[in-house]
Amino acid sequence: MLAFALGFAAGIMLLISLMEMLPAALHTQGMSPMLGYGMFMLGLLGYFALDRMLPHQHPQDLQQKPLTPYNLKRTAMLLTLGISLHNFPEGIATFVTASADLELGMGVALAVAIHNIPEGLAVAGPVYAATGSKTKALLWSGISGMAEILGGVLAFLLLGPMISPVVMASIMAAVAGIMVALSVDELMPLAKEIDPHNNPSYGVLCGMAVMGFSLTLLQSGGIG
């Protein structure tokens, strides 16, 4: 179940990054393809820089210890960071949209809230497996969601008129790169290591299907 949950989380993050965030960033008025893809690559490189600073201890390197709480905690931390970084610009986007059009902002907030449900599950699963605590799983999934509120508050207090569509698009492109790197480099390989007899792609495909279906419902209803 843990391996499937990790694949599920990777599927969610890949779909959001490549089908929602990056295209939206590249199609923003005033955003050049060079800047958009450059920020995407910056996000990738930023993730790998963070990854190199964290000590590694993969299951195949351990004798008769196929899985350790340390590995799970490290993965849960990176996953929470990735989801939080994804949620942060969503908070900014909701604030900016609601400032311009309250009705539209409410629609954006509803869309964000609905697709945060599987994201919360994606964070809570690995945290619960690492700690055995439902309280900690709830806490960390809540923290990842609070990043959206923080994004909105900071947009209100600090950025104000500095928030332009190009700035928003640049942030989204960079976060998309972080999430892709996290999915491919961390979640999918660890899922295979945890359960080598099953294909983690099943979880990936299910995560993509669930998130894609939810986004389709939102867009068909005029919300997304």
Side-chain angles (χ1 to χ4, degrees):
M1 287 300 296
L2 175 59
F4 181 85
L6 292 173
F8 187 85
I12 289 174
M13 298 180 76
L14 287 171
L15 187 90
I16 292 175
S17 301
L18 299 177
M19 300 300 292
E20 289 288 319
M21 299 180 70
L22 184 58
L26 293 173
H27 287 91
T28 298
Q29 185 175 4
M31 169 65 79
S32 68
M34 180 174 295
L35 177 59
Y37 285 115
M39 292 300 295
F40 179 77
M41 294 301 298
L42 182 63
L44 289 173
L45 295 175
Y47 165 81
F48 286 117
L50 174 65
D51 189 54
R52 287 183 63 87
M53 290 188 292
L54 293 173
H56 288 69
Q57 190 176 32
H58 292 292
Q60 69 265 26
D61 299 329
L62 306 174
Q63 294 182 352
Q64 298 180 349
K65 292 183 179 179
L67 189 62
T68 67
Y70 172 84
N71 290 334
L72 293 176
K73 288 180 180 178
R74 178 180 178 276
T75 298
M77 180 177 64
L78 288 172
L79 182 56
T80 302
L81 176 63
I83 294 291
S84 298
L85 289 173
H86 159 64
N87 286 341
F88 186 79
E90 283 185 350
I92 298 176
T94 303
F95 169 79
V96 173
T97 305
S99 298
D101 186 330
L102 182 59
E103 183 176 354
L104 179 59
M106 292 176 64
V108 172
L110 178 60
V112 168
I114 290 175
H115 88 252
N116 276 353
I117 294 174
E119 290 179 357
L121 292 172
V123 172
V127 173
Y128 177 69
T131 64
S133 170
K134 294 181 180 180
T135 301
K136 291 182 179 179
L138 179 62
L139 173 64
W140 284 103
S141 60
I143 289 175
S144 69
M146 289 291 290
E148 288 182 5
I149 299 177
L150 178 61
V153 170
L154 288 180
F156 173 73
L157 295 177
L158 302 178
L159 301 179
M162 293 175 56
I163 302 178
S164 67
V166 174
V167 172
M168 274 297 307
S170 299
I171 295 173
M172 284 196 297
V175 173
I178 293 172
M179 293 174 64
V180 168
L182 171 60
S183 300
V184 175
D185 183 64
E186 182 75 20
L187 299 184
M188 295 173 65
L190 185 57
K192 186 65 176 178
E193 292 173 0
I194 291 172
D195 189 5
H197 302 295
N198 289 299
N199 191 341
S201 298
Y202 298 144
V204 174
L205 294 176
C206 286
M208 287 184 168
V210 169
M211 182 55 68
F213 182 68
S214 67
L215 291 173
T216 300
L217 290 178
L218 292 171
Q219 291 172 358
S220 65
I223 299 176

